[in-house]
Amino acid sequence: MTTFKRDFSFDKNIREKISKNIKKYRLLAKITQEQLAVDVGLSYDFIRRLEFKKGKIGCSIDTLYKISVVLNTRIDKFFE
């Protein structure tokens, strides 16, 4: 069986997109960064940097899942 490299277009700014969408859905839910941090079990500073650094830091899929539950938002919305 022959294997060859296929071409895909990957979004190089996916972390920035996720960061902006977390902030967007947090604000729509009228939840502060502090409250989100408490609900998810992370530090306020982590949530602040996650939103402020716009993709310079990432988070695990577990953290992304918890944020989506707290914000009552489907996880795929963070990738749009």
Side-chain angles (χ1 to χ4, degrees), residues 64-77:
L64 201 55
Y65 166 73
K66 289 177 184 178
I67 292 171
S68 75
V69 170
V70 170
L71 297 180
N72 194 31
T73 302
R74 290 188 348 238
I75 200 168
D76 64 303
K77 292 290 189 181

Side-chain angles (χ1 to χ4, degrees), residues 26-48:
R26 179 183 61 76
L27 293 173
L28 285 172
K30 296 183 170 102
I31 296 174
T32 64
Q33 289 177 332
E34 294 89 350
Q35 187 61 56
L36 179 59
V38 168
D39 291 342
V40 175
L42 296 169
S43 70
Y44 158 72
D45 190 54
F46 178 82
I47 298 295
R48 181 189 61 77

Side-chain angles (χ1 to χ4, degrees), residues 4-77:
F4 58 93
K5 174 73 172 123
R6 299 180 296 163
D7 291 323
F8 293 96
S9 177
F10 296 108
D11 187 345
K12 292 182 170 117
N13 297 317
I14 192 64
R15 283 183 175 182
E16 183 176 352
K17 189 177 288 187
I18 291 169
S19 172
K20 287 179 180 180
N21 281 323
I22 288 172
K23 182 176 183 177
K24 171 186 167 180
Y25 288 107
R26 179 183 61 76
L27 293 173
L28 285 172
K30 296 183 170 102
I31 296 174
T32 64
Q33 289 177 332
E34 294 89 350
Q35 187 61 56
L36 179 59
V38 168
D39 291 342
V40 175
L42 296 169
S43 70
Y44 158 72
D45 190 54
F46 178 82
I47 298 295
R48 181 189 61 77
R49 287 183 295 124
L50 184 63
E51 289 184 4
F52 177 73
K53 294 285 186 176
K54 294 187 171 68
K56 299 273 192 285
I57 67 166
C59 64
S60 71
I61 191 69
D62 293 336
T63 298
L64 201 55
Y65 166 73
K66 289 177 184 178
I67 292 171
S68 75
V69 170
V70 170
L71 297 180
N72 194 31
T73 302
R74 290 188 348 238
I75 200 168
D76 64 303
K77 292 290 189 181

